[in-house]
Amino acid sequence: MQYCENCRLKVAGARHECPLCQGTLSGSGCPEEEIYPQVPFARHQYRPVIRLMVFLSAAAIILCGTANYLFFNGRYWSLFVAAAIGSMWVSLSSAVLRRHNLPKSVLWQVFWLSLLAVLWDLLTGWHHWALDYVVPILCSFGLVVMAVLARLLKLHTQDFLVYLMIDGLFGILPALFLVFGWVQVVYPSAICVAASLLSFAAVISFGGDALLNELRKRLHL
């Protein structure tokens, strides 16, 4: 049976990494002792849907580009259609790649959607709507979603605290907007900062010991 030096636990099966801290296991493993059997994932069942979505995306870009060329009115609006479809695929890819870890998926969705909103604002003349509204609202929404997921999925404290901490710190990003005067409307950013500080205080108050133990395992301290 294999052994993890960091967690001081014996691990059955033939794993190469500890399921808790992802550290390297010592000793020899035995495939017959594997608790969780490998379940093959039928990727091909999703291929028709993906191919249909790819075709519809390409068709929308081609048709809009053709219509923009034939009825040109001085604006290249078809480029915005292509950019919107590209943004959809970026967000969808991030969600699919991290579908087995919902808290991490929420974090990456907030990151990608915030980045895409800033890029859209830049491309459309920079009207500050991305920093004034979209980014702080997305961060606040991410905090709420992660709290709801923790309740519905009944995540263990040590599994959820790290992501909640990261999401809380990530939510403080609008504080930089306020400090450096990058926003024209301060209410969404101020509310987001307050929500982030409250979540951070809740983690420290009610789960400080569990968080410390989790950080020690992940950082191999």
Side-chain angles (χ1 to χ4, degrees), residues 115-177:
L115 179 61
L116 292 172
V118 172
L119 291 176
W120 270 89
D121 201 358
L122 286 172
L123 293 175
T124 55
W126 191 245
H127 301 288
H128 291 275
W129 54 266
L131 299 185
D132 286 345
Y133 298 103
V134 178
V135 175
I137 289 175
L138 285 174
C139 293
S140 300
F141 181 74
L143 287 170
V144 174
V145 170
M146 292 189 69
V148 172
L149 287 177
R151 185 68 176 177
L152 294 179
L153 301 179
K154 297 181 180 179
L155 298 179
H156 296 291
T157 304
Q158 60 270 25
D159 296 331
F160 182 74
L161 281 177
V162 172
Y163 300 116
L164 183 59
M165 285 283 295
I166 296 175
D167 193 47
L169 294 175
F170 183 72
I172 300 177
L173 180 63
L176 299 177
F177 303 162

Side-chain angles (χ1 to χ4, degrees), residues 79-121:
L79 296 179
F80 292 100
V81 175
I85 294 175
S87 300
M88 178 202 69
W89 278 104
V90 170
S91 178
L92 181 62
S93 300
S94 177
V96 171
L97 291 175
R98 295 168 179 84
R99 64 186 180 276
H100 300 300
N101 192 322
L102 292 179
K104 185 179 291 186
S105 177
V106 173
L107 287 174
W108 279 101
Q109 284 296 310
V110 171
F111 169 77
W112 284 114
L113 292 176
S114 298
L115 179 61
L116 292 172
V118 172
L119 291 176
W120 270 89
D121 201 358

Side-chain angles (χ1 to χ4, degrees), residues 56-74:
L56 292 177
S57 299
I61 294 175
I62 294 172
L63 292 176
C64 290
T66 303
N68 194 180
Y69 174 77
L70 295 176
F71 307 100
F72 183 70
N73 59 355

